[in-house]
Amino acid sequence: MAGSRINVKKGSRSKLAKPRVECSFSLFMESLKHFELGEPFPNSPHAVASNLPTMADVCGYEEKDPRVMRALASGYPRFVVHEYIRRLLEHFFQQHHLKGRFGVLVPSKRAMRDLVEPFGALVAVLEVATDIFLLHCDLADEPLSNRLRKHLQHKGYGLSSRQAEDLLVEVVGGVDRFQEESYQGNALNALETGTANLAGCGAKDVLLCASGMSAFYAAFRSVQEFQRSRRRSKWLQLGWLYLDSGCILKEFLYEDESLEYCYDVLDTERILKEIYGAGDELAAVVVECPTNPLAQVCELETISNAVSECGGVLIIDPTIASIYSTKYLAYADLLVTSLTKYAAYQGDVMAGALFVNPNSKFYGDLIARTSHFYAPLYLRDAARLAIEMRGAPPVIRKMRVNATALAQFLSEHDAVKKVWFAKAEGEDELVSAIITIELKGSLSSFYDKISVVKGPSFGTFFTLLSPFMYLAHYDLVTAEAGRGFLEEVGLNPELIRISVGAEPLDQLLQILDQALRCEA
């Protein structure tokens, strides 16, 4: 067992839409079954999880196998172009005679300008609706189109499925909006107040974003701009960051800025040496706490004090455990999180938030800058999220109770070699619904056999299984050198991340045991 301990303070039918589904405990049993390739869960056009039921499907997804890609009408939105967005692109390409072009849609002038800046005249811009911009380039120039797509992915600037749906209704016609329960009132105010109370700040210190990556990018750019004005250029990454967070640090620093890594977040001595070694050149330290996928926890208070002493900024991302289960803003200058996880526990909203610590000595400088770089949360997404947040606490509590029992079960199972999880100091329950395991046997046979939702994302009311390194770092797991590097930094390429849901515990245990038994 490898548990980390944490110190925490106490729809109607339409031509595009599927039937309306609201989350209820009757749905929990529906999630414990085999799903077909590309089948979303829940049964909503806005579901962020589409199933990849076998490892062959996972590899096909990463390699863009037509068999797999044709089956994905939707998927995790920053990685899979939603059916609604594909239809919009086809419409605008035809309307503006743009045959042979690659394009992306962005929902604001700010996003458009930020995306176009690195490309100059190589990327053309067309306003296709009010504040909706089509950025397009030569389809035959694959390196350019891939680079534009990656910038959109990393920065979190894309249209949400609900905004795309509304555009289809308004621009194309012949489409009805998916009917779902939404917050009646000022959803943005409700979310700002609700998330501020969870994080431990005021509503004025919250920035609601279109995704967690938008929140992270806004934090990065605001700190970068601020610290460059102070001639500070050294960045430090602690642990293994989520794919796009790591890409932002690696790709968007300037030539006169540097990035160092401390992959072992438990090696406090080494971390402090790096922080104090940077001295008055320290710009920022970035950490996920707990880490993804190993749920490891660094000594936040010690690190926070050292960063502050050196004049750096500390950015913390607690998404793996959520702002429901952690109180980390007191240690951070900026806290960023994906609200797609846990808050949107039904798995059908993309959203994020950025919190500025009101007690940070850099508060005035950071609060003024963060709003220059984010993508705002679309109003319909906010209205849906506000409804889900009202019902989230008891579901999250059940997820954590289940995760606690599963961690114990898995740590004692003959087929399991190692288990990682995060538990709060002095508490019986896990602080997060995430458990990561290493098997003694084959990842493929276990993954293919188990009957749950399988694919990216986590923090949903339904159990969601992910061969994490394959989905996040396929380039590394499929190369000998890459696998060697992962092993070197303590990450087995065959890790399985389990986001534990709120289904009946006895059913979860039975399904896991059945899939593991063939590995024992």
mmCIF file with all atom_site columns, all heavy atoms in Angstrom, residues 21-44:
data_model
loop_
_atom_site.group_PDB
_atom_site.id
_atom_site.type_symbol
_atom_site.label_atom_id
_atom_site.label_alt_id
_atom_site.label_comp_id
_atom_site.label_asym_id
_atom_site.label_entity_id
_atom_site.label_seq_id
_atom_site.pdbx_PDB_ins_code
_atom_site.Cartn_x
_atom_site.Cartn_y
_atom_site.Cartn_z
_atom_site.occupancy
_atom_site.B_iso_or_equiv
_atom_site.pdbx_formal_charge
_atom_site.auth_seq_id
_atom_site.auth_comp_id
_atom_site.auth_asym_id
_atom_site.auth_atom_id
_atom_site.pdbx_PDB_model_num
ATOM 1   N N   . VAL A 1 21 ? -31.642 13.165 -19.406 1.00 0.00 ? 21 VAL A N   1
ATOM 2   C CA  . VAL A 1 21 ? -31.279 12.270 -18.300 1.00 0.00 ? 21 VAL A CA  1
ATOM 3   C C   . VAL A 1 21 ? -30.836 13.119 -17.126 1.00 0.00 ? 21 VAL A C   1
ATOM 4   O O   . VAL A 1 21 ? -29.977 13.975 -17.274 1.00 0.00 ? 21 VAL A O   1
ATOM 5   C CB  . VAL A 1 21 ? -30.129 11.310 -18.691 1.00 0.00 ? 21 VAL A CB  1
ATOM 6   C CG1 . VAL A 1 21 ? -29.701 10.495 -17.481 1.00 0.00 ? 21 VAL A CG1 1
ATOM 7   C CG2 . VAL A 1 21 ? -30.580 10.387 -19.813 1.00 0.00 ? 21 VAL A CG2 1
ATOM 8   N N   . GLU A 1 22 ? -31.431 12.941 -15.976 1.00 0.00 ? 22 GLU A N   1
ATOM 9   C CA  . GLU A 1 22 ? -30.981 13.601 -14.764 1.00 0.00 ? 22 GLU A CA  1
ATOM 10  C C   . GLU A 1 22 ? -30.299 12.559 -13.882 1.00 0.00 ? 22 GLU A C   1
ATOM 11  O O   . GLU A 1 22 ? -30.678 11.385 -13.888 1.00 0.00 ? 22 GLU A O   1
ATOM 12  C CB  . GLU A 1 22 ? -32.149 14.243 -14.013 1.00 0.00 ? 22 GLU A CB  1
ATOM 13  C CG  . GLU A 1 22 ? -32.801 15.397 -14.764 1.00 0.00 ? 22 GLU A CG  1
ATOM 14  C CD  . GLU A 1 22 ? -31.830 16.509 -15.085 1.00 0.00 ? 22 GLU A CD  1
ATOM 15  O OE1 . GLU A 1 22 ? -30.871 16.717 -14.326 1.00 0.00 ? 22 GLU A OE1 1
ATOM 16  O OE2 . GLU A 1 22 ? -32.035 17.178 -16.113 1.00 0.00 ? 22 GLU A OE2 1
ATOM 17  N N   . CYS A 1 23 ? -29.312 13.002 -13.119 1.00 0.00 ? 23 CYS A N   1
ATOM 18  C CA  . CYS A 1 23 ? -28.592 12.067 -12.257 1.00 0.00 ? 23 CYS A CA  1
ATOM 19  C C   . CYS A 1 23 ? -29.485 11.633 -11.107 1.00 0.00 ? 23 CYS A C   1
ATOM 20  O O   . CYS A 1 23 ? -30.101 12.453 -10.447 1.00 0.00 ? 23 CYS A O   1
ATOM 21  C CB  . CYS A 1 23 ? -27.336 12.723 -11.707 1.00 0.00 ? 23 CYS A CB  1
ATOM 22  S SG  . CYS A 1 23 ? -26.403 11.647 -10.626 1.00 0.00 ? 23 CYS A SG  1
ATOM 23  N N   . SER A 1 24 ? -29.578 10.373 -10.889 1.00 0.00 ? 24 SER A N   1
ATOM 24  C CA  . SER A 1 24 ? -30.294 9.837  -9.736  1.00 0.00 ? 24 SER A CA  1
ATOM 25  C C   . SER A 1 24 ? -29.624 8.520  -9.377  1.00 0.00 ? 24 SER A C   1
ATOM 26  O O   . SER A 1 24 ? -28.857 7.972  -10.151 1.00 0.00 ? 24 SER A O   1
ATOM 27  C CB  . SER A 1 24 ? -31.768 9.605  -10.069 1.00 0.00 ? 24 SER A CB  1
ATOM 28  O OG  . SER A 1 24 ? -31.901 8.564  -11.012 1.00 0.00 ? 24 SER A OG  1
ATOM 29  N N   . PHE A 1 25 ? -29.931 8.027  -8.194  1.00 0.00 ? 25 PHE A N   1
ATOM 30  C CA  . PHE A 1 25 ? -29.269 6.797  -7.780  1.00 0.00 ? 25 PHE A CA  1
ATOM 31  C C   . PHE A 1 25 ? -29.720 5.614  -8.627  1.00 0.00 ? 25 PHE A C   1
ATOM 32  O O   . PHE A 1 25 ? -29.072 4.580  -8.632  1.00 0.00 ? 25 PHE A O   1
ATOM 33  C CB  . PHE A 1 25 ? -29.531 6.554  -6.292  1.00 0.00 ? 25 PHE A CB  1
ATOM 34  C CG  . PHE A 1 25 ? -28.637 7.390  -5.422  1.00 0.00 ? 25 PHE A CG  1
ATOM 35  C CD1 . PHE A 1 25 ? -28.984 8.689  -5.090  1.00 0.00 ? 25 PHE A CD1 1
ATOM 36  C CD2 . PHE A 1 25 ? -27.430 6.903  -4.971  1.00 0.00 ? 25 PHE A CD2 1
ATOM 37  C CE1 . PHE A 1 25 ? -28.150 9.468  -4.323  1.00 0.00 ? 25 PHE A CE1 1
ATOM 38  C CE2 . PHE A 1 25 ? -26.581 7.679  -4.200  1.00 0.00 ? 25 PHE A CE2 1
ATOM 39  C CZ  . PHE A 1 25 ? -26.944 8.969  -3.879  1.00 0.00 ? 25 PHE A CZ  1
ATOM 40  N N   . SER A 1 26 ? -30.810 5.755  -9.396  1.00 0.00 ? 26 SER A N   1
ATOM 41  C CA  . SER A 1 26 ? -31.206 4.689  -10.315 1.00 0.00 ? 26 SER A CA  1
ATOM 42  C C   . SER A 1 26 ? -30.215 4.540  -11.450 1.00 0.00 ? 26 SER A C   1
ATOM 43  O O   . SER A 1 26 ? -30.132 3.489  -12.085 1.00 0.00 ? 26 SER A O   1
ATOM 44  C CB  . SER A 1 26 ? -32.601 4.977  -10.881 1.00 0.00 ? 26 SER A CB  1
ATOM 45  O OG  . SER A 1 26 ? -32.578 6.138  -11.698 1.00 0.00 ? 26 SER A OG  1
ATOM 46  N N   . LEU A 1 27 ? -29.439 5.604  -11.726 1.00 0.00 ? 27 LEU A N   1
ATOM 47  C CA  . LEU A 1 27 ? -28.445 5.543  -12.798 1.00 0.00 ? 27 LEU A CA  1
ATOM 48  C C   . LEU A 1 27 ? -27.179 4.797  -12.373 1.00 0.00 ? 27 LEU A C   1
ATOM 49  O O   . LEU A 1 27 ? -26.398 4.378  -13.222 1.00 0.00 ? 27 LEU A O   1
ATOM 50  C CB  . LEU A 1 27 ? -28.047 6.960  -13.223 1.00 0.00 ? 27 LEU A CB  1
ATOM 51  C CG  . LEU A 1 27 ? -28.917 7.675  -14.249 1.00 0.00 ? 27 LEU A CG  1
ATOM 52  C CD1 . LEU A 1 27 ? -28.380 9.067  -14.490 1.00 0.00 ? 27 LEU A CD1 1
ATOM 53  C CD2 . LEU A 1 27 ? -28.966 6.903  -15.555 1.00 0.00 ? 27 LEU A CD2 1
ATOM 54  N N   . PHE A 1 28 ? -26.977 4.646  -11.072 1.00 0.00 ? 28 PHE A N   1
ATOM 55  C CA  . PHE A 1 28 ? -25.716 4.089  -10.615 1.00 0.00 ? 28 PHE A CA  1
ATOM 56  C C   . PHE A 1 28 ? -25.486 2.667  -11.132 1.00 0.00 ? 28 PHE A C   1
ATOM 57  O O   . PHE A 1 28 ? -24.393 2.317  -11.517 1.00 0.00 ? 28 PHE A O   1
ATOM 58  C CB  . PHE A 1 28 ? -25.650 4.104  -9.084  1.00 0.00 ? 28 PHE A CB  1
ATOM 59  C CG  . PHE A 1 28 ? -25.508 5.490  -8.510  1.00 0.00 ? 28 PHE A CG  1
ATOM 60  C CD1 . PHE A 1 28 ? -25.798 5.728  -7.189  1.00 0.00 ? 28 PHE A CD1 1
ATOM 61  C CD2 . PHE A 1 28 ? -25.093 6.547  -9.296  1.00 0.00 ? 28 PHE A CD2 1
ATOM 62  C CE1 . PHE A 1 28 ? -25.667 7.000  -6.654  1.00 0.00 ? 28 PHE A CE1 1
ATOM 63  C CE2 . PHE A 1 28 ? -24.962 7.821  -8.772  1.00 0.00 ? 28 PHE A CE2 1
ATOM 64  C CZ  . PHE A 1 28 ? -25.254 8.046  -7.455  1.00 0.00 ? 28 PHE A CZ  1
ATOM 65  N N   . MET A 1 29 ? -26.547 1.868  -11.145 1.00 0.00 ? 29 MET A N   1
ATOM 66  C CA  . MET A 1 29 ? -26.391 0.508  -11.626 1.00 0.00 ? 29 MET A CA  1
ATOM 67  C C   . MET A 1 29 ? -26.178 0.477  -13.138 1.00 0.00 ? 29 MET A C   1
ATOM 68  O O   . MET A 1 29 ? -25.566 -0.439 -13.668 1.00 0.00 ? 29 MET A O   1
ATOM 69  C CB  . MET A 1 29 ? -27.605 -0.332 -11.240 1.00 0.00 ? 29 MET A CB  1
ATOM 70  C CG  . MET A 1 29 ? -27.691 -0.638 -9.748  1.00 0.00 ? 29 MET A CG  1
ATOM 71  S SD  . MET A 1 29 ? -26.193 -1.452 -9.126  1.00 0.00 ? 29 MET A SD  1
ATOM 72  C CE  . MET A 1 29 ? -26.297 -3.003 -9.999  1.00 0.00 ? 29 MET A CE  1
ATOM 73  N N   . GLU A 1 30 ? -26.689 1.494  -13.845 1.00 0.00 ? 30 GLU A N   1
ATOM 74  C CA  . GLU A 1 30 ? -26.531 1.539  -15.295 1.00 0.00 ? 30 GLU A CA  1
ATOM 75  C C   . GLU A 1 30 ? -25.082 1.761  -15.697 1.00 0.00 ? 30 GLU A C   1
ATOM 76  O O   . GLU A 1 30 ? -24.689 1.490  -16.834 1.00 0.00 ? 30 GLU A O   1
ATOM 77  C CB  . GLU A 1 30 ? -27.411 2.638  -15.893 1.00 0.00 ? 30 GLU A CB  1
ATOM 78  C CG  . GLU A 1 30 ? -28.905 2.403  -15.703 1.00 0.00 ? 30 GLU A CG  1
ATOM 79  C CD  . GLU A 1 30 ? -29.722 3.534  -16.290 1.00 0.00 ? 30 GLU A CD  1
ATOM 80  O OE1 . GLU A 1 30 ? -29.217 4.232  -17.189 1.00 0.00 ? 30 GLU A OE1 1
ATOM 81  O OE2 . GLU A 1 30 ? -30.867 3.725  -15.841 1.00 0.00 ? 30 GLU A OE2 1
ATOM 82  N N   . SER A 1 31 ? -24.276 2.277  -14.787 1.00 0.00 ? 31 SER A N   1
ATOM 83  C CA  . SER A 1 31 ? -22.879 2.552  -15.111 1.00 0.00 ? 31 SER A CA  1
ATOM 84  C C   . SER A 1 31 ? -21.998 1.319  -14.971 1.00 0.00 ? 31 SER A C   1
ATOM 85  O O   . SER A 1 31 ? -20.874 1.305  -15.463 1.00 0.00 ? 31 SER A O   1
ATOM 86  C CB  . SER A 1 31 ? -22.334 3.665  -14.209 1.00 0.00 ? 31 SER A CB  1
ATOM 87  O OG  . SER A 1 31 ? -22.315 3.253  -12.849 1.00 0.00 ? 31 SER A OG  1
ATOM 88  N N   . LEU A 1 32 ? -22.501 0.279  -14.303 1.00 0.00 ? 32 LEU A N   1
ATOM 89  C CA  . LEU A 1 32 ? -21.701 -0.926 -14.066 1.00 0.00 ? 32 LEU A CA  1
ATOM 90  C C   . LEU A 1 32 ? -22.059 -1.980 -15.103 1.00 0.00 ? 32 LEU A C   1
ATOM 91  O O   . LEU A 1 32 ? -22.797 -2.938 -14.838 1.00 0.00 ? 32 LEU A O   1
ATOM 92  C CB  . LEU A 1 32 ? -21.936 -1.442 -12.644 1.00 0.00 ? 32 LEU A CB  1
ATOM 93  C CG  . LEU A 1 32 ? -21.565 -0.460 -11.531 1.00 0.00 ? 32 LEU A CG  1
ATOM 94  C CD1 . LEU A 1 32 ? -21.882 -1.047 -10.168 1.00 0.00 ? 32 LEU A CD1 1
ATOM 95  C CD2 . LEU A 1 32 ? -20.105 -0.055 -11.621 1.00 0.00 ? 32 LEU A CD2 1
ATOM 96  N N   . LYS A 1 33 ? -21.559 -1.764 -16.314 1.00 0.00 ? 33 LYS A N   1
ATOM 97  C CA  . LYS A 1 33 ? -21.846 -2.682 -17.414 1.00 0.00 ? 33 LYS A CA  1
ATOM 98  C C   . LYS A 1 33 ? -20.791 -2.483 -18.500 1.00 0.00 ? 33 LYS A C   1
ATOM 99  O O   . LYS A 1 33 ? -19.941 -1.591 -18.404 1.00 0.00 ? 33 LYS A O   1
ATOM 100 C CB  . LYS A 1 33 ? -23.236 -2.408 -17.987 1.00 0.00 ? 33 LYS A CB  1
ATOM 101 C CG  . LYS A 1 33 ? -23.354 -1.047 -18.669 1.00 0.00 ? 33 LYS A CG  1
ATOM 102 C CD  . LYS A 1 33 ? -24.697 -0.867 -19.336 1.00 0.00 ? 33 LYS A CD  1
ATOM 103 C CE  . LYS A 1 33 ? -24.729 0.417  -20.181 1.00 0.00 ? 33 LYS A CE  1
ATOM 104 N NZ  . LYS A 1 33 ? -26.009 0.587  -20.891 1.00 0.00 ? 33 LYS A NZ  1
ATOM 105 N N   . HIS A 1 34 ? -20.855 -3.294 -19.514 1.00 0.00 ? 34 HIS A N   1
ATOM 106 C CA  . HIS A 1 34 ? -19.972 -3.113 -20.671 1.00 0.00 ? 34 HIS A CA  1
ATOM 107 C C   . HIS A 1 34 ? -20.578 -2.061 -21.591 1.00 0.00 ? 34 HIS A C   1
ATOM 108 O O   . HIS A 1 34 ? -21.765 -2.077 -21.884 1.00 0.00 ? 34 HIS A O   1
ATOM 109 C CB  . HIS A 1 34 ? -19.809 -4.418 -21.440 1.00 0.00 ? 34 HIS A CB  1
ATOM 110 C CG  . HIS A 1 34 ? -19.060 -4.249 -22.731 1.00 0.00 ? 34 HIS A CG  1
ATOM 111 N ND1 . HIS A 1 34 ? -17.680 -4.120 -22.784 1.00 0.00 ? 34 HIS A ND1 1
ATOM 112 C CD2 . HIS A 1 34 ? -19.504 -4.140 -24.012 1.00 0.00 ? 34 HIS A CD2 1
ATOM 113 C CE1 . HIS A 1 34 ? -17.312 -3.964 -24.045 1.00 0.00 ? 34 HIS A CE1 1
ATOM 114 N NE2 . HIS A 1 34 ? -18.398 -3.973 -24.801 1.00 0.00 ? 34 HIS A NE2 1
ATOM 115 N N   . PHE A 1 35 ? -19.751 -1.115 -22.042 1.00 0.00 ? 35 PHE A N   1
ATOM 116 C CA  . PHE A 1 35 ? -20.184 -0.077 -22.968 1.00 0.00 ? 35 PHE A CA  1
ATOM 117 C C   . PHE A 1 35 ? -19.544 -0.302 -24.331 1.00 0.00 ? 35 PHE A C   1
ATOM 118 O O   . PHE A 1 35 ? -18.427 -0.814 -24.436 1.00 0.00 ? 35 PHE A O   1
ATOM 119 C CB  . PHE A 1 35 ? -19.784 1.310  -22.454 1.00 0.00 ? 35 PHE A CB  1
ATOM 120 C CG  . PHE A 1 35 ? -20.564 1.757  -21.248 1.00 0.00 ? 35 PHE A CG  1
ATOM 121 C CD1 . PHE A 1 35 ? -20.183 1.381  -19.968 1.00 0.00 ? 35 PHE A CD1 1
ATOM 122 C CD2 . PHE A 1 35 ? -21.691 2.555  -21.391 1.00 0.00 ? 35 PHE A CD2 1
ATOM 123 C CE1 . PHE A 1 35 ? -20.900 1.789  -18.862 1.00 0.00 ? 35 PHE A CE1 1
ATOM 124 C CE2 . PHE A 1 35 ? -22.421 2.966  -20.290 1.00 0.00 ? 35 PHE A CE2 1
ATOM 125 C CZ  . PHE A 1 35 ? -22.020 2.589  -19.020 1.00 0.00 ? 35 PHE A CZ  1
ATOM 126 N N   . GLU A 1 36 ? -20.257 0.113  -25.366 1.00 0.00 ? 36 GLU A N   1
ATOM 127 C CA  . GLU A 1 36 ? -19.723 0.016  -26.714 1.00 0.00 ? 36 GLU A CA  1
ATOM 128 C C   . GLU A 1 36 ? -18.735 1.147  -26.983 1.00 0.00 ? 36 GLU A C   1
ATOM 129 O O   . GLU A 1 36 ? -18.774 2.192  -26.317 1.00 0.00 ? 36 GLU A O   1
ATOM 130 C CB  . GLU A 1 36 ? -20.855 0.053  -27.745 1.00 0.00 ? 36 GLU A CB  1
ATOM 131 C CG  . GLU A 1 36 ? -21.833 -1.107 -27.647 1.00 0.00 ? 36 GLU A CG  1
ATOM 132 C CD  . GLU A 1 36 ? -21.162 -2.449 -27.826 1.00 0.00 ? 36 GLU A CD  1
ATOM 133 O OE1 . GLU A 1 36 ? -20.268 -2.558 -28.706 1.00 0.00 ? 36 GLU A OE1 1
ATOM 134 O OE2 . GLU A 1 36 ? -21.505 -3.393 -27.087 1.00 0.00 ? 36 GLU A OE2 1
ATOM 135 N N   . LEU A 1 37 ? -17.875 0.961  -27.948 1.00 0.00 ? 37 LEU A N   1
ATOM 136 C CA  . LEU A 1 37 ? -16.913 1.984  -28.334 1.00 0.00 ? 37 LEU A CA  1
ATOM 137 C C   . LEU A 1 37 ? -17.629 3.283  -28.695 1.00 0.00 ? 37 LEU A C   1
ATOM 138 O O   . LEU A 1 37 ? -18.541 3.295  -29.513 1.00 0.00 ? 37 LEU A O   1
ATOM 139 C CB  . LEU A 1 37 ? -16.096 1.498  -29.535 1.00 0.00 ? 37 LEU A CB  1
ATOM 140 C CG  . LEU A 1 37 ? -15.155 2.522  -30.191 1.00 0.00 ? 37 LEU A CG  1
ATOM 141 C CD1 . LEU A 1 37 ? -14.098 2.988  -29.208 1.00 0.00 ? 37 LEU A CD1 1
ATOM 142 C CD2 . LEU A 1 37 ? -14.510 1.919  -31.435 1.00 0.00 ? 37 LEU A CD2 1
ATOM 143 N N   . GLY A 1 38 ? -17.217 4.380  -28.047 1.00 0.00 ? 38 GLY A N   1
ATOM 144 C CA  . GLY A 1 38 ? -17.782 5.687  -28.340 1.00 0.00 ? 38 GLY A CA  1
ATOM 145 C C   . GLY A 1 38 ? -19.074 6.001  -27.626 1.00 0.00 ? 38 GLY A C   1
ATOM 146 O O   . GLY A 1 38 ? -19.577 7.121  -27.720 1.00 0.00 ? 38 GLY A O   1
ATOM 147 N N   . GLU A 1 39 ? -19.618 5.033  -26.892 1.00 0.00 ? 39 GLU A N   1
ATOM 148 C CA  . GLU A 1 39 ? -20.884 5.256  -26.195 1.00 0.00 ? 39 GLU A CA  1
ATOM 149 C C   . GLU A 1 39 ? -20.674 6.222  -25.028 1.00 0.00 ? 39 GLU A C   1
ATOM 150 O O   . GLU A 1 39 ? -19.839 5.987  -24.166 1.00 0.00 ? 39 GLU A O   1
ATOM 151 C CB  . GLU A 1 39 ? -21.438 3.929  -25.678 1.00 0.00 ? 39 GLU A CB  1
ATOM 152 C CG  . GLU A 1 39 ? -22.811 4.025  -25.036 1.00 0.00 ? 39 GLU A CG  1
ATOM 153 C CD  . GLU A 1 39 ? -23.331 2.673  -24.572 1.00 0.00 ? 39 GLU A CD  1
ATOM 154 O OE1 . GLU A 1 39 ? -22.665 1.653  -24.859 1.00 0.00 ? 39 GLU A OE1 1
ATOM 155 O OE2 . GLU A 1 39 ? -24.389 2.639  -23.917 1.00 0.00 ? 39 GLU A OE2 1
ATOM 156 N N   . PRO A 1 40 ? -21.419 7.332  -24.990 1.00 0.00 ? 40 PRO A N   1
ATOM 157 C CA  . PRO A 1 40 ? -21.231 8.294  -23.893 1.00 0.00 ? 40 PRO A CA  1
ATOM 158 C C   . PRO A 1 40 ? -21.957 7.844  -22.634 1.00 0.00 ? 40 PRO A C   1
ATOM 159 O O   . PRO A 1 40 ? -22.900 7.056  -22.687 1.00 0.00 ? 40 PRO A O   1
ATOM 160 C CB  . PRO A 1 40 ? -21.865 9.578  -24.449 1.00 0.00 ? 40 PRO A CB  1
ATOM 161 C CG  . PRO A 1 40 ? -22.956 9.083  -25.351 1.00 0.00 ? 40 PRO A CG  1
ATOM 162 C CD  . PRO A 1 40 ? -22.436 7.797  -25.954 1.00 0.00 ? 40 PRO A CD  1
ATOM 163 N N   . PHE A 1 41 ? -21.505 8.328  -21.509 1.00 0.00 ? 41 PHE A N   1
ATOM 164 C CA  . PHE A 1 41 ? -22.220 8.153  -20.246 1.00 0.00 ? 41 PHE A CA  1
ATOM 165 C C   . PHE A 1 41 ? -21.961 9.390  -19.403 1.00 0.00 ? 41 PHE A C   1
ATOM 166 O O   . PHE A 1 41 ? -20.809 9.786  -19.244 1.00 0.00 ? 41 PHE A O   1
ATOM 167 C CB  . PHE A 1 41 ? -21.762 6.892  -19.502 1.00 0.00 ? 41 PHE A CB  1
ATOM 168 C CG  . PHE A 1 41 ? -22.695 6.551  -18.364 1.00 0.00 ? 41 PHE A CG  1
ATOM 169 C CD1 . PHE A 1 41 ? -23.841 5.832  -18.609 1.00 0.00 ? 41 PHE A CD1 1
ATOM 170 C CD2 . PHE A 1 41 ? -22.440 6.997  -17.080 1.00 0.00 ? 41 PHE A CD2 1
ATOM 171 C CE1 . PHE A 1 41 ? -24.727 5.533  -17.576 1.00 0.00 ? 41 PHE A CE1 1
ATOM 172 C CE2 . PHE A 1 41 ? -23.314 6.701  -16.040 1.00 0.00 ? 41 PHE A CE2 1
ATOM 173 C CZ  . PHE A 1 41 ? -24.453 5.967  -16.294 1.00 0.00 ? 41 PHE A CZ  1
ATOM 174 N N   . PRO A 1 42 ? -23.041 10.037 -18.898 1.00 0.00 ? 42 PRO A N   1
ATOM 175 C CA  . PRO A 1 42 ? -24.441 9.685  -19.086 1.00 0.00 ? 42 PRO A CA  1
ATOM 176 C C   . PRO A 1 42 ? -24.895 9.903  -20.530 1.00 0.00 ? 42 PRO A C   1
ATOM 177 O O   . PRO A 1 42 ? -24.139 10.442 -21.344 1.00 0.00 ? 42 PRO A O   1
ATOM 178 C CB  . PRO A 1 42 ? -25.160 10.645 -18.129 1.00 0.00 ? 42 PRO A CB  1
ATOM 179 C CG  . PRO A 1 42 ? -24.252 11.821 -18.023 1.00 0.00 ? 42 PRO A CG  1
ATOM 180 C CD  . PRO A 1 42 ? -22.872 11.261 -18.091 1.00 0.00 ? 42 PRO A CD  1
ATOM 181 N N   . ASN A 1 43 ? -26.121 9.513  -20.799 1.00 0.00 ? 43 ASN A N   1
ATOM 182 C CA  . ASN A 1 43 ? -26.645 9.547  -22.163 1.00 0.00 ? 43 ASN A CA  1
ATOM 183 C C   . ASN A 1 43 ? -27.070 10.969 -22.527 1.00 0.00 ? 43 ASN A C   1
ATOM 184 O O   . ASN A 1 43 ? -28.239 11.278 -22.660 1.00 0.00 ? 43 ASN A O   1
ATOM 185 C CB  . ASN A 1 43 ? -27.821 8.579  -22.286 1.00 0.00 ? 43 ASN A CB  1
ATOM 186 C CG  . ASN A 1 43 ? -28.233 8.355  -23.721 1.00 0.00 ? 43 ASN A CG  1
ATOM 187 O OD1 . ASN A 1 43 ? -27.539 8.763  -24.641 1.00 0.00 ? 43 ASN A OD1 1
ATOM 188 N ND2 . ASN A 1 43 ? -29.367 7.717  -23.902 1.00 0.00 ? 43 ASN A ND2 1
ATOM 189 N N   . SER A 1 44 ? -26.072 11.822 -22.673 1.00 0.00 ? 44 SER A N   1
ATOM 190 C CA  . SER A 1 44 ? -26.293 13.246 -22.951 1.00 0.00 ? 44 SER A CA  1
ATOM 191 C C   . SER A 1 44 ? -25.338 13.677 -24.047 1.00 0.00 ? 44 SER A C   1
ATOM 192 O O   . SER A 1 44 ? -24.193 13.207 -24.104 1.00 0.00 ? 44 SER A O   1
ATOM 193 C CB  . SER A 1 44 ? -26.014 14.079 -21.681 1.00 0.00 ? 44 SER A CB  1
ATOM 194 O OG  . SER A 1 44 ? -25.811 15.443 -21.998 1.00 0.00 ? 44 SER A OG  1
#
